Amino acid sequence: MRQFPVTAAMLVALGGVFPFLVGGWLFLAGVLTSLPHLSQILLAYGGCLLPFYGAVQWGLLASKPTIIPPKGESLRDRRALLSGTFAFLWGWLALCVGLLGNLRTGFGLEAIGFAGIFALERIANRHGDLPQGYIMVRAISTGLCVIGFLFALLSPQGQF
């Protein structure tokens, strides 16, 4: 497996989670004014970013020299496929619940989804399935995403 580009990945990850931090600060500013559209935008962004985190597993799987191995998928491949699928389905569920039901519940589900994907990736990392340096980048970006969702959940706006 090729060396993981930690510096480049960190810049991309920080750029991807920046809206969560800005959203968190704007939610805290919600004491002065209601920000319902920003709430929906942040929920939709999280619902799109979570499947992307899962798709990274599929990308790592597809970067292998043989995409279709002669003996079928290995346990490692099945874990990568399942974690990517989990991220897509969980992101869709969180977005649907948040938009059709309660935004706070949607934010909570997205925070759980990011933490869950990270937990699955830690298991994969322990089995040697991930490139060196990847889990550090993911830990930082996941932590920042979850902090952004916590800001949204603790928003003083009350009802969105």
Side-chain angles (χ1 to χ4, degrees):
M1 195 175 285
R2 292 179 289 171
Q3 177 68 27
F4 186 70
V6 175
T7 305
M10 188 62 74
L11 290 173
V12 170
L14 290 177
V17 299
F18 183 73
F20 287 110
L21 299 180
V22 171
W25 285 110
L26 290 174
F27 276 105
L28 291 176
V31 172
L32 304 174
T33 182
S34 178
L35 303 168
H37 297 296
L38 183 62
S39 302
Q40 293 174 349
I41 290 168
L42 186 63
L43 182 76
Y45 184 71
C48 293
L49 190 62
L50 183 60
F52 174 75
Y53 274 29
V56 169
Q57 295 299 315
W58 293 351
L60 291 172
L61 184 63
S63 71
K64 292 174 25 177
T66 56
I67 294 175
I68 302 173
K71 296 180 183 177
E73 295 100 14
S74 67
L75 180 59
R76 169 190 272 182
D77 296 346
R78 283 192 295 261
R79 280 195 304 254
L81 290 170
L82 288 174
S83 66
T85 303
F86 166 77
F88 275 89
L89 293 176
W90 194 268
W92 175 77
L93 173 72
L95 189 55
C96 287
V97 168
L99 291 177
L100 299 175
N102 184 318
L103 279 170
R104 286 184 186 238
T105 304
F107 285 134
L109 288 173
E110 285 183 354
I112 291 168
F114 278 96
I117 286 295
F118 180 70
L120 291 174
E121 287 178 336
R122 282 199 47 168
I123 293 168
N125 190 51
R126 281 192 218 123
H127 287 94
D129 296 351
L130 301 176
Q132 188 176 17
Y134 173 84
I135 201 70
M136 178 193 65
V137 172
R138 184 62 88 199
I140 292 169
S141 64
T142 298
L144 292 174
C145 288
V146 171
I147 287 170
F149 285 125
L150 291 177
F151 277 143
L153 285 170
L154 299 174
S155 173
Q157 295 185 76
Q159 296 297 323
F160 292 122

